Amino acid sequence: MPPKRKAAAAKLLKRKTKKSQKEQEEPDTTEKPKKPTKKTVIPKEISDQEPKARGRQKVNKEEISDEEPKSKGRKKVNKDEKEEKVGRSNSTVTQWNKINFSCTKKNSKGEKSNLKISCWNVGGIKSWVKKGCQEYLKYEDPDIFCLQETKCSEEKLPEEIKDLNGYHQYWCASKREGYAGVGLLTKIEPLNVSYGINTPDQDEDGRCITAEFDDYYIVCAYVPNAGRKLVTLPKRLEWNTAFKDYIKSLDDKKPVIICGDMNVAHNEIDLARPANNTKNAGFTKEEREGMTDFLEDGYIDTFRKLYPDKTDVYTFWTYMANARSKNIGWRLDYFVISERLMDNVCDNIVRTEVLGSDHCPLTLFINI
């Protein structure tokens, strides 16, 4: 083969070889991405969809299961919030330092108070102590403190009460543990202390303590409630008669200071919704007339005497429907005194800011 032709043939062979190499290389580089595309992209889309579908189902199930506890949680929180609102109003969060426990008023004789008497329906002394409400004694510092609805026998009193310094203690418990009961704490030792109102059927509930001092009697009373559907109204009316006779027997000797839960809103001004409660315990015609009859026997409701037109002042609020925060209440707790002591009274203050029970305490400032 001539040299020129041989060179041309070699050149052509070289081109074919390069082309062949290129063709061999190109499919390798093009197919490799395609194969993964077919194998990974397309199947991946299918396989991704299934897990996503499963994943969404799982997420939905988880969301449902999450919502159920959250829903339960919200219900619990709402219930707790309601209880906490009650707590803020009736339980453990009294802002002691923000309350002025002093009295600057003088009586009609121009005299300052020299005797401070407080009373409080504590709604169970054990729970009252657990809430730290015995702090009240530190801040109010009454000379005499009367408690109602202690619901505790003397043997089972909390140690915090037994260990109180500076007070002589007297307790009158119901025969039924956890029911009724009254107590009287006094810095001044009484001449004599008696229990009940000389009526066995009433006295078994532990509703009255009387302490005799030089110039007066203190009577701590927890008057029976007429009950739901007025089932105990007859017993309440029997109490009214016996209590009136008992107080009269004391008043014939010395003037009387009666304090406690009288379980009646005497007039329409003494409760937030009188029209709705005319057939309910505490505002029936019989109970109101009983209070009127008692006062007409020679006694004075000190708060209403001092503040005849003052509205929206209550001492009891039900735990239901945030009644206390809305101030939908009843004035059931009183200081009632013999008429001849009224000129000695400086003030009667209802401590609505003091929390810890469905009742609040009240304090009488008097000069004797």
Side-chain angles (χ1 to χ4, degrees), residues 84-115:
E84 182 59 25
K85 284 181 181 179
V86 171
R88 284 196 292 271
S89 299
N90 295 297
S91 190
T92 61
V93 291
T94 299
Q95 301 297 312
W96 300 108
N97 293 323
K98 294 183 179 180
I99 303 172
N100 181 5
F101 289 97
S102 64
C103 174
T104 58
K105 291 186 177 180
K106 297 179 181 180
N107 61 26
S108 62
K109 302 175 183 178
E111 300 167 329
K112 292 182 180 180
S113 168
N114 64 0
L115 181 65

PDB file of all heavy atoms in Angstrom, residues 84-115:
ATOM      1  N   GLU A  84     -59.066  27.951  91.080  1.00  0.00           N
ATOM      2  CA  GLU A  84     -58.044  28.920  91.457  1.00  0.00           C
ATOM      3  C   GLU A  84     -58.668  30.302  91.645  1.00  0.00           C
ATOM      4  O   GLU A  84     -58.280  31.069  92.504  1.00  0.00           O
ATOM      5  CB  GLU A  84     -56.961  28.974  90.378  1.00  0.00           C
ATOM      6  CG  GLU A  84     -55.823  29.926  90.690  1.00  0.00           C
ATOM      7  CD  GLU A  84     -55.104  29.597  91.991  1.00  0.00           C
ATOM      8  OE1 GLU A  84     -55.138  28.425  92.405  1.00  0.00           O
ATOM      9  OE2 GLU A  84     -54.535  30.515  92.594  1.00  0.00           O
ATOM     10  N   LYS A  85     -59.674  30.608  90.775  1.00  0.00           N
ATOM     11  CA  LYS A  85     -60.368  31.881  90.957  1.00  0.00           C
ATOM     12  C   LYS A  85     -61.074  31.900  92.306  1.00  0.00           C
ATOM     13  O   LYS A  85     -61.087  32.902  93.006  1.00  0.00           O
ATOM     14  CB  LYS A  85     -61.382  32.093  89.824  1.00  0.00           C
ATOM     15  CG  LYS A  85     -60.738  32.503  88.518  1.00  0.00           C
ATOM     16  CD  LYS A  85     -61.781  32.721  87.438  1.00  0.00           C
ATOM     17  CE  LYS A  85     -61.134  33.114  86.134  1.00  0.00           C
ATOM     18  NZ  LYS A  85     -62.118  33.302  85.054  1.00  0.00           N
ATOM     19  N   VAL A  86     -61.680  30.742  92.606  1.00  0.00           N
ATOM     20  CA  VAL A  86     -62.273  30.621  93.937  1.00  0.00           C
ATOM     21  C   VAL A  86     -61.194  30.769  94.983  1.00  0.00           C
ATOM     22  O   VAL A  86     -61.350  31.433  95.994  1.00  0.00           O
ATOM     23  CB  VAL A  86     -63.001  29.265  94.101  1.00  0.00           C
ATOM     24  CG1 VAL A  86     -63.413  29.059  95.536  1.00  0.00           C
ATOM     25  CG2 VAL A  86     -64.214  29.218  93.188  1.00  0.00           C
ATOM     26  N   GLY A  87     -60.064  30.092  94.708  1.00  0.00           N
ATOM     27  CA  GLY A  87     -58.935  30.188  95.631  1.00  0.00           C
ATOM     28  C   GLY A  87     -58.516  31.617  95.831  1.00  0.00           C
ATOM     29  O   GLY A  87     -58.249  32.058  96.937  1.00  0.00           O
ATOM     30  N   ARG A  88     -58.438  32.385  94.720  1.00  0.00           N
ATOM     31  CA  ARG A  88     -58.032  33.782  94.829  1.00  0.00           C
ATOM     32  C   ARG A  88     -59.051  34.555  95.652  1.00  0.00           C
ATOM     33  O   ARG A  88     -58.732  35.559  96.265  1.00  0.00           O
ATOM     34  CB  ARG A  88     -57.884  34.396  93.439  1.00  0.00           C
ATOM     35  CG  ARG A  88     -56.617  33.970  92.719  1.00  0.00           C
ATOM     36  CD  ARG A  88     -56.342  34.874  91.567  1.00  0.00           C
ATOM     37  NE  ARG A  88     -57.312  34.754  90.504  1.00  0.00           N
ATOM     38  CZ  ARG A  88     -57.215  33.907  89.493  1.00  0.00           C
ATOM     39  NH1 ARG A  88     -56.214  33.063  89.425  1.00  0.00           N
ATOM     40  NH2 ARG A  88     -58.127  33.889  88.542  1.00  0.00           N
ATOM     41  N   SER A  89     -60.311  34.074  95.607  1.00  0.00           N
ATOM     42  CA  SER A  89     -61.349  34.787  96.329  1.00  0.00           C
ATOM     43  C   SER A  89     -61.616  34.234  97.718  1.00  0.00           C
ATOM     44  O   SER A  89     -62.053  34.945  98.591  1.00  0.00           O
ATOM     45  CB  SER A  89     -62.651  34.752  95.516  1.00  0.00           C
ATOM     46  OG  SER A  89     -62.480  35.372  94.275  1.00  0.00           O
ATOM     47  N   ASN A  90     -61.431  32.952  97.919  1.00  0.00           N
ATOM     48  CA  ASN A  90     -61.857  32.327  99.157  1.00  0.00           C
ATOM     49  C   ASN A  90     -60.823  31.432  99.824  1.00  0.00           C
ATOM     50  O   ASN A  90     -61.165  30.703 100.729  1.00  0.00           O
ATOM     51  CB  ASN A  90     -63.088  31.447  98.880  1.00  0.00           C
ATOM     52  CG  ASN A  90     -64.264  32.243  98.445  1.00  0.00           C
ATOM     53  OD1 ASN A  90     -64.755  33.061  99.188  1.00  0.00           O
ATOM     54  ND2 ASN A  90     -64.716  32.013  97.242  1.00  0.00           N
ATOM     55  N   SER A  91     -59.558  31.451  99.364  1.00  0.00           N
ATOM     56  CA  SER A  91     -58.706  30.396  99.840  1.00  0.00           C
ATOM     57  C   SER A  91     -57.404  30.852 100.448  1.00  0.00           C
ATOM     58  O   SER A  91     -57.339  31.090 101.639  1.00  0.00           O
ATOM     59  CB  SER A  91     -58.460  29.437  98.677  1.00  0.00           C
ATOM     60  OG  SER A  91     -57.835  28.294  99.128  1.00  0.00           O
ATOM     61  N   THR A  92     -56.354  30.980  99.655  1.00  0.00           N
ATOM     62  CA  THR A  92     -55.024  31.046 100.260  1.00  0.00           C
ATOM     63  C   THR A  92     -54.205  32.268  99.867  1.00  0.00           C
ATOM     64  O   THR A  92     -53.019  32.311 100.164  1.00  0.00           O
ATOM     65  CB  THR A  92     -54.224  29.798  99.861  1.00  0.00           C
ATOM     66  OG1 THR A  92     -54.092  29.766  98.435  1.00  0.00           O
ATOM     67  CG2 THR A  92     -54.898  28.536 100.342  1.00  0.00           C
ATOM     68  N   VAL A  93     -54.765  33.201  99.176  1.00  0.00           N
ATOM     69  CA  VAL A  93     -53.925  34.265  98.623  1.00  0.00           C
ATOM     70  C   VAL A  93     -54.247  35.654  99.184  1.00  0.00           C
ATOM     71  O   VAL A  93     -54.176  36.642  98.480  1.00  0.00           O
ATOM     72  CB  VAL A  93     -54.022  34.286  97.082  1.00  0.00           C
ATOM     73  CG1 VAL A  93     -53.366  33.063  96.492  1.00  0.00           C
ATOM     74  CG2 VAL A  93     -55.473  34.367  96.624  1.00  0.00           C
ATOM     75  N   THR A  94     -54.610  35.726 100.425  1.00  0.00           N
ATOM     76  CA  THR A  94     -54.882  37.027 101.046  1.00  0.00           C
ATOM     77  C   THR A  94     -53.628  37.901 101.015  1.00  0.00           C
ATOM     78  O   THR A  94     -52.543  37.468 101.385  1.00  0.00           O
ATOM     79  CB  THR A  94     -55.336  36.848 102.507  1.00  0.00           C
ATOM     80  OG1 THR A  94     -56.541  36.087 102.530  1.00  0.00           O
ATOM     81  CG2 THR A  94     -55.585  38.196 103.171  1.00  0.00           C
ATOM     82  N   GLN A  95     -53.801  39.111 100.563  1.00  0.00           N
ATOM     83  CA  GLN A  95     -52.697  40.076 100.555  1.00  0.00           C
ATOM     84  C   GLN A  95     -52.690  40.817 101.900  1.00  0.00           C
ATOM     85  O   GLN A  95     -53.160  41.940 102.018  1.00  0.00           O
ATOM     86  CB  GLN A  95     -52.878  41.061  99.389  1.00  0.00           C
ATOM     87  CG  GLN A  95     -52.932  40.406  98.030  1.00  0.00           C
ATOM     88  CD  GLN A  95     -51.643  39.684  97.681  1.00  0.00           C
ATOM     89  OE1 GLN A  95     -50.549  40.238  97.836  1.00  0.00           O
ATOM     90  NE2 GLN A  95     -51.756  38.453  97.209  1.00  0.00           N
ATOM     91  N   TRP A  96     -52.156  40.155 102.896  1.00  0.00           N
ATOM     92  CA  TRP A  96     -52.244  40.650 104.262  1.00  0.00           C
ATOM     93  C   TRP A  96     -51.705  42.067 104.406  1.00  0.00           C
ATOM     94  O   TRP A  96     -52.304  42.908 105.091  1.00  0.00           O
ATOM     95  CB  TRP A  96     -51.481  39.718 105.205  1.00  0.00           C
ATOM     96  CG  TRP A  96     -51.984  38.311 105.234  1.00  0.00           C
ATOM     97  CD1 TRP A  96     -51.378  37.211 104.714  1.00  0.00           C
ATOM     98  CD2 TRP A  96     -53.218  37.843 105.804  1.00  0.00           C
ATOM     99  NE1 TRP A  96     -52.145  36.087 104.922  1.00  0.00           N
ATOM    100  CE2 TRP A  96     -53.272  36.440 105.599  1.00  0.00           C
ATOM    101  CE3 TRP A  96     -54.270  38.464 106.477  1.00  0.00           C
ATOM    102  CZ2 TRP A  96     -54.337  35.661 106.031  1.00  0.00           C
ATOM    103  CZ3 TRP A  96     -55.322  37.683 106.919  1.00  0.00           C
ATOM    104  CH2 TRP A  96     -55.360  36.308 106.697  1.00  0.00           C
ATOM    105  N   ASN A  97     -50.585  42.327 103.772  1.00  0.00           N
ATOM    106  CA  ASN A  97     -49.928  43.629 103.943  1.00  0.00           C
ATOM    107  C   ASN A  97     -50.679  44.785 103.287  1.00  0.00           C
ATOM    108  O   ASN A  97     -50.355  45.944 103.518  1.00  0.00           O
ATOM    109  CB  ASN A  97     -48.497  43.566 103.391  1.00  0.00           C
ATOM    110  CG  ASN A  97     -47.615  42.647 104.207  1.00  0.00           C
ATOM    111  OD1 ASN A  97     -47.731  42.589 105.428  1.00  0.00           O
ATOM    112  ND2 ASN A  97     -46.736  41.902 103.542  1.00  0.00           N
ATOM    113  N   LYS A  98     -51.662  44.447 102.456  1.00  0.00           N
ATOM    114  CA  LYS A  98     -52.418  45.494 101.780  1.00  0.00           C
ATOM    115  C   LYS A  98     -53.705  45.863 102.525  1.00  0.00           C
ATOM    116  O   LYS A  98     -54.461  46.711 102.068  1.00  0.00           O
ATOM    117  CB  LYS A  98     -52.745  45.056 100.356  1.00  0.00           C
ATOM    118  CG  LYS A  98     -51.510  44.909  99.478  1.00  0.00           C
ATOM    119  CD  LYS A  98     -51.893  44.553  98.042  1.00  0.00           C
ATOM    120  CE  LYS A  98     -50.646  44.432  97.168  1.00  0.00           C
ATOM    121  NZ  LYS A  98     -51.005  44.082  95.767  1.00  0.00           N
ATOM    122  N   ILE A  99     -53.951  45.207 103.643  1.00  0.00           N
ATOM    123  CA  ILE A  99     -55.180  45.454 104.398  1.00  0.00           C
ATOM    124  C   ILE A  99     -54.872  46.279 105.642  1.00  0.00           C
ATOM    125  O   ILE A  99     -53.916  45.992 106.366  1.00  0.00           O
ATOM    126  CB  ILE A  99     -55.842  44.125 104.814  1.00  0.00           C
ATOM    127  CG1 ILE A  99     -56.129  43.270 103.577  1.00  0.00           C
ATOM    128  CG2 ILE A  99     -57.132  44.378 105.599  1.00  0.00           C
ATOM    129  CD1 ILE A  99     -56.607  41.868 103.905  1.00  0.00           C
ATOM    130  N   ASN A 100     -55.682  47.287 105.871  1.00  0.00           N
ATOM    131  CA  ASN A 100     -55.551  48.109 107.079  1.00  0.00           C
ATOM    132  C   ASN A 100     -56.442  47.504 108.166  1.00  0.00           C
ATOM    133  O   ASN A 100     -57.671  47.552 108.079  1.00  0.00           O
ATOM    134  CB  ASN A 100     -55.962  49.545 106.779  1.00  0.00           C
ATOM    135  CG  ASN A 100     -55.826  50.449 107.987  1.00  0.00           C
ATOM    136  OD1 ASN A 100     -55.343  50.023 109.041  1.00  0.00           O
ATOM    137  ND2 ASN A 100     -56.254  51.694 107.852  1.00  0.00           N
ATOM    138  N   PHE A 101     -55.825  46.927 109.163  1.00  0.00           N
ATOM    139  CA  PHE A 101     -56.569  46.258 110.225  1.00  0.00           C
ATOM    140  C   PHE A 101     -56.848  47.172 111.427  1.00  0.00           C
ATOM    141  O   PHE A 101     -57.361  46.717 112.442  1.00  0.00           O
ATOM    142  CB  PHE A 101     -55.806  45.016 110.697  1.00  0.00           C
ATOM    143  CG  PHE A 101     -55.807  43.896 109.697  1.00  0.00           C
ATOM    144  CD1 PHE A 101     -54.739  43.719 108.834  1.00  0.00           C
ATOM    145  CD2 PHE A 101     -56.880  43.023 109.606  1.00  0.00           C
ATOM    146  CE1 PHE A 101     -54.731  42.683 107.902  1.00  0.00           C
ATOM    147  CE2 PHE A 101     -56.888  41.988 108.686  1.00  0.00           C
ATOM    148  CZ  PHE A 101     -55.804  41.820 107.833  1.00  0.00           C
ATOM    149  N   SER A 102     -56.513  48.419 111.311  1.00  0.00           N
ATOM    150  CA  SER A 102     -56.728  49.343 112.428  1.00  0.00           C
ATOM    151  C   SER A 102     -58.093  50.019 112.332  1.00  0.00           C
ATOM    152  O   SER A 102     -58.803  49.879 111.330  1.00  0.00           O
ATOM    153  CB  SER A 102     -55.626  50.405 112.451  1.00  0.00           C
ATOM    154  OG  SER A 102     -55.692  51.203 111.284  1.00  0.00           O
ATOM    155  N   CYS A 103     -58.428  50.753 113.370  1.00  0.00           N
ATOM    156  CA  CYS A 103     -59.683  51.506 113.384  1.00  0.00           C
ATOM    157  C   CYS A 103     -59.417  52.894 113.971  1.00  0.00           C
ATOM    158  O   CYS A 103     -58.895  53.018 115.079  1.00  0.00           O
ATOM    159  CB  CYS A 103     -60.732  50.770 114.222  1.00  0.00           C
ATOM    160  SG  CYS A 103     -62.267  51.694 114.457  1.00  0.00           S
ATOM    161  N   THR A 104     -59.791  53.894 113.216  1.00  0.00           N
ATOM    162  CA  THR A 104     -59.592  55.276 113.687  1.00  0.00           C
ATOM    163  C   THR A 104     -60.905  55.917 114.140  1.00  0.00           C
ATOM    164  O   THR A 104     -60.886  57.008 114.709  1.00  0.00           O
ATOM    165  CB  THR A 104     -58.979  56.138 112.566  1.00  0.00           C
ATOM    166  OG1 THR A 104     -59.837  56.109 111.418  1.00  0.00           O
ATOM    167  CG2 THR A 104     -57.600  55.608 112.173  1.00  0.00           C
ATOM    168  N   LYS A 105     -62.003  55.240 113.914  1.00  0.00           N
ATOM    169  CA  LYS A 105     -63.301  55.807 114.267  1.00  0.00           C
ATOM    170  C   LYS A 105     -63.535  55.747 115.773  1.00  0.00           C
ATOM    171  O   LYS A 105     -63.075  54.839 116.463  1.00  0.00           O
ATOM    172  CB  LYS A 105     -64.423  55.069 113.540  1.00  0.00           C
ATOM    173  CG  LYS A 105     -64.432  55.314 112.033  1.00  0.00           C
ATOM    174  CD  LYS A 105     -65.658  54.674 111.406  1.00  0.00           C
ATOM    175  CE  LYS A 105     -65.711  54.977 109.912  1.00  0.00           C
ATOM    176  NZ  LYS A 105     -66.901  54.374 109.270  1.00  0.00           N
ATOM    177  N   LYS A 106     -64.293  56.714 116.256  1.00  0.00           N
ATOM    178  CA  LYS A 106     -64.669  56.760 117.670  1.00  0.00           C
ATOM    179  C   LYS A 106     -66.166  56.495 117.792  1.00  0.00           C
ATOM    180  O   LYS A 106     -66.932  56.648 116.832  1.00  0.00           O
ATOM    181  CB  LYS A 106     -64.333  58.125 118.264  1.00  0.00           C
ATOM    182  CG  LYS A 106     -62.831  58.446 118.240  1.00  0.00           C
ATOM    183  CD  LYS A 106     -62.568  59.811 118.822  1.00  0.00           C
ATOM    184  CE  LYS A 106     -61.077  60.149 118.784  1.00  0.00           C
ATOM    185  NZ  LYS A 106     -60.786  61.493 119.345  1.00  0.00           N
ATOM    186  N   ASN A 107     -66.574  56.105 118.978  1.00  0.00           N
ATOM    187  CA  ASN A 107     -68.002  55.870 119.176  1.00  0.00           C
ATOM    188  C   ASN A 107     -68.736  57.192 119.406  1.00  0.00           C
ATOM    189  O   ASN A 107     -68.125  58.273 119.383  1.00  0.00           O
ATOM    190  CB  ASN A 107     -68.229  54.874 120.320  1.00  0.00           C
ATOM    191  CG  ASN A 107     -67.675  55.370 121.649  1.00  0.00           C
ATOM    192  OD1 ASN A 107     -67.558  56.573 121.885  1.00  0.00           O
ATOM    193  ND2 ASN A 107     -67.337  54.439 122.540  1.00  0.00           N
ATOM    194  N   SER A 108     -70.025  57.084 119.621  1.00  0.00           N
ATOM    195  CA  SER A 108     -70.835  58.302 119.776  1.00  0.00           C
ATOM    196  C   SER A 108     -70.463  59.096 121.018  1.00  0.00           C
ATOM    197  O   SER A 108     -70.811  60.269 121.150  1.00  0.00           O
ATOM    198  CB  SER A 108     -72.324  57.934 119.826  1.00  0.00           C
ATOM    199  OG  SER A 108     -72.601  57.112 120.932  1.00  0.00           O
ATOM    200  N   LYS A 109     -69.717  58.488 121.939  1.00  0.00           N
ATOM    201  CA  LYS A 109     -69.241  59.177 123.135  1.00  0.00           C
ATOM    202  C   LYS A 109     -67.879  59.834 122.907  1.00  0.00           C
ATOM    203  O   LYS A 109     -67.331  60.444 123.833  1.00  0.00           O
ATOM    204  CB  LYS A 109     -69.132  58.185 124.299  1.00  0.00           C
ATOM    205  CG  LYS A 109     -70.426  57.462 124.643  1.00  0.00           C
ATOM    206  CD  LYS A 109     -70.175  56.421 125.737  1.00  0.00           C
ATOM    207  CE  LYS A 109     -71.410  55.610 126.069  1.00  0.00           C
ATOM    208  NZ  LYS A 109     -71.139  54.572 127.098  1.00  0.00           N
ATOM    209  N   GLY A 110     -67.334  59.666 121.709  1.00  0.00           N
ATOM    210  CA  GLY A 110     -66.017  60.218 121.415  1.00  0.00           C
ATOM    211  C   GLY A 110     -64.872  59.351 121.899  1.00  0.00           C
ATOM    212  O   GLY A 110     -63.726  59.817 121.993  1.00  0.00           O
ATOM    213  N   GLU A 111     -65.149  58.087 122.173  1.00  0.00           N
ATOM    214  CA  GLU A 111     -64.124  57.189 122.709  1.00  0.00           C
ATOM    215  C   GLU A 111     -63.556  56.285 121.611  1.00  0.00           C
ATOM    216  O   GLU A 111     -64.279  55.858 120.711  1.00  0.00           O
ATOM    217  CB  GLU A 111     -64.726  56.305 123.807  1.00  0.00           C
ATOM    218  CG  GLU A 111     -65.304  57.080 124.982  1.00  0.00           C
ATOM    219  CD  GLU A 111     -66.156  56.212 125.888  1.00  0.00           C
ATOM    220  OE1 GLU A 111     -66.778  55.252 125.375  1.00  0.00           O
ATOM    221  OE2 GLU A 111     -66.207  56.500 127.104  1.00  0.00           O
ATOM    222  N   LYS A 112     -62.275  55.993 121.722  1.00  0.00           N
ATOM    223  CA  LYS A 112     -61.632  55.050 120.821  1.00  0.00           C
ATOM    224  C   LYS A 112     -61.905  53.621 121.293  1.00  0.00           C
ATOM    225  O   LYS A 112     -62.198  53.379 122.455  1.00  0.00           O
ATOM    226  CB  LYS A 112     -60.124  55.289 120.780  1.00  0.00           C
ATOM    227  CG  LYS A 112     -59.714  56.594 120.122  1.00  0.00           C
ATOM    228  CD  LYS A 112     -58.192  56.700 120.086  1.00  0.00           C
ATOM    229  CE  LYS A 112     -57.751  57.998 119.426  1.00  0.00           C
ATOM    230  NZ  LYS A 112     -56.255  58.110 119.383  1.00  0.00           N
ATOM    231  N   SER A 113     -61.756  52.708 120.386  1.00  0.00           N
ATOM    232  CA  SER A 113     -61.974  51.296 120.722  1.00  0.00           C
ATOM    233  C   SER A 113     -60.913  50.786 121.687  1.00  0.00           C
ATOM    234  O   SER A 113     -59.731  51.115 121.560  1.00  0.00           O
ATOM    235  CB  SER A 113     -61.935  50.463 119.436  1.00  0.00           C
ATOM    236  OG  SER A 113     -61.877  49.094 119.734  1.00  0.00           O
ATOM    237  N   ASN A 114     -61.345  50.000 122.646  1.00  0.00           N
ATOM    238  CA  ASN A 114     -60.389  49.322 123.525  1.00  0.00           C
ATOM    239  C   ASN A 114     -60.617  47.815 123.563  1.00  0.00           C
ATOM    240  O   ASN A 114     -59.991  47.088 124.335  1.00  0.00           O
ATOM    241  CB  ASN A 114     -60.449  49.895 124.945  1.00  0.00           C
ATOM    242  CG  ASN A 114     -61.791  49.658 125.622  1.00  0.00           C
ATOM    243  OD1 ASN A 114     -62.702  49.057 125.050  1.00  0.00           O
ATOM    244  ND2 ASN A 114     -61.931  50.125 126.858  1.00  0.00           N
ATOM    245  N   LEU A 115     -61.531  47.335 122.699  1.00  0.00           N
ATOM    246  CA  LEU A 115     -61.809  45.909 122.608  1.00  0.00           C
ATOM    247  C   LEU A 115     -62.097  45.566 121.146  1.00  0.00           C
ATOM    248  O   LEU A 115     -62.928  46.201 120.490  1.00  0.00           O
ATOM    249  CB  LEU A 115     -63.015  45.527 123.472  1.00  0.00           C
ATOM    250  CG  LEU A 115     -63.399  44.046 123.488  1.00  0.00           C
ATOM    251  CD1 LEU A 115     -62.292  43.192 124.123  1.00  0.00           C
ATOM    252  CD2 LEU A 115     -64.721  43.848 124.241  1.00  0.00           C
TER     253      LEU A 115
END
